[in-house]
Amino acid sequence: MNNQSYQSFGNPEIAIARQNTFIARVYGWMTLGLVITALASFYTLSQPALLSAVLTNPVFFFGLIIGELVLVLVISAGMSRLSPAVASALFMFYAALNGVTLSFVLLIYTGESVAQTFFITAATFGVMSAIGYFTKRDLTSLGNLLLMALIGFLIASVVNIFLASPAIYWITTFFGIIIFVGLIAYDTQKIKRMSSMTADGTAVNKNSAILGALRLYLDFVNLFLLLLRLFGRRR
């Protein structure tokens, strides 16, 4: 244990200050990711050739999806080996790619309903994140259950691409909302605990903040897309 970690362990005020700094960094990165995604979506809409490739070229579209999955795996698995500069660049690149693939949302749904759903998502996220941060209950068992449910949700969603069943569509929508609402609280508590595992200012600490931001970013975006199924009004 280095001197900084020892001082933090023995001094609650230092520990709380470090925790607040870490949490602020996580939410700062998450917010930046959302901003980059929004800007990338608007940029894609302004570029007819790029938008056409996303909407009409399956190879290009699924190439973007695969690229996003690879980036998530690299960021998640490589935190101990990546430099903070590389990790942050990969996170921002992922957010931009996600903005390109999500540009269709602004074409399908009205701008007003997208904005309304975004604020509903933000309010829900804020409430559940606060619960995860302040609750004294250990959410580990709940998180494990939600992660297993998430696997089932993903499998059902992929299967329904081929079945195109309205019943499965709405079942996965409601269960997905429940899953990601719960994951927001679980991930927030997990990130809060992460703040005490590394010394402030180290590469591992900075990378851990980016990993935490990625988790919350994914929770937010997926909840937004699911709520959009309920509240979004098509053009």
Side-chain angles (χ1 to χ4, degrees):
M1 180 180 294
N2 60 34
N3 187 54
Q4 183 181 22
S5 298
Y6 178 80
Q7 289 177 350
S8 300
F9 180 79
N11 190 324
E13 292 183 359
I14 295 178
I16 292 174
R18 286 183 55 220
Q19 183 182 88
N20 291 339
T21 299
F22 182 83
I23 295 297
R25 186 178 295 127
V26 170
Y27 283 98
W29 276 112
M30 186 200 78
T31 302
L32 178 61
L34 292 174
V35 170
I36 292 173
T37 297
L39 292 176
S41 293
F42 285 114
Y43 176 78
T44 302
L45 290 178
S46 70
Q47 302 297 315
L50 178 58
L51 181 61
S52 177
V54 173
L55 297 178
T56 64
N57 190 329
V59 175
F60 181 74
F61 180 78
F62 285 106
L64 290 176
I65 297 297
I66 293 172
E68 290 180 36
L69 292 175
V70 171
L71 282 173
V72 170
L73 292 176
V74 170
I75 295 172
S76 300
M79 276 300 161
S80 61
R81 298 183 297 272
L82 298 174
S83 69
V86 171
S88 59
L90 290 176
F91 173 73
M92 289 187 288
F93 183 51
Y94 168 78
L97 283 185
N98 203 32
V100 174
T101 58
L102 293 179
S103 58
F104 71 91
V105 169
L106 299 177
L107 287 177
I108 296 175
Y109 299 98
T110 64
E112 182 182 1
S113 65
V114 170
Q116 289 176 345
T117 304
F118 178 85
F119 286 117
I120 293 172
T121 305
T124 305
F125 180 92
V127 170
M128 295 310 300
S129 192
I131 291 174
Y133 187 86
F134 291 107
T135 184
K136 301 300 182 181
R137 178 184 176 185
D138 186 353
L139 300 179
T140 301
S141 58
L142 175 62
N144 293 335
L145 178 63
L146 290 171
L147 291 174
M148 289 187 291
L150 178 60
I151 294 174
F153 165 79
L154 293 174
I155 293 174
S157 298
V158 171
V159 169
N160 202 44
I161 293 177
F162 304 97
L163 297 180
S165 167
I168 295 178
Y169 175 86
W170 287 112
I171 290 173
T172 55
T173 296
F174 287 109
F175 273 98
I177 290 172
I178 294 172
I179 290 170
F180 284 106
V181 165
L183 282 176
I184 291 169
Y186 167 72
D187 284 335
T188 300
Q189 186 179 81
K190 189 171 184 178
I191 289 167
K192 181 180 178 182
R193 291 173 177 171
M194 287 169 58
S195 66
S196 63
M197 296 179 182
T198 59
D200 190 28
T202 62
V204 174
N205 180 268
K206 293 176 181 178
N207 286 354
S208 296
I210 295 172
L211 180 59
L214 176 63
R215 288 174 175 169
L216 293 181
Y217 171 93
L218 290 172
D219 292 340
F220 188 102
V221 170
N222 282 288
L223 180 61
F224 169 73
L225 293 175
L226 289 167
L227 289 175
L228 201 57
R229 295 183 184 182
L230 294 180
F231 302 112
R233 293 191 296 276
R234 294 178 179 268
R235 294 182 184 275

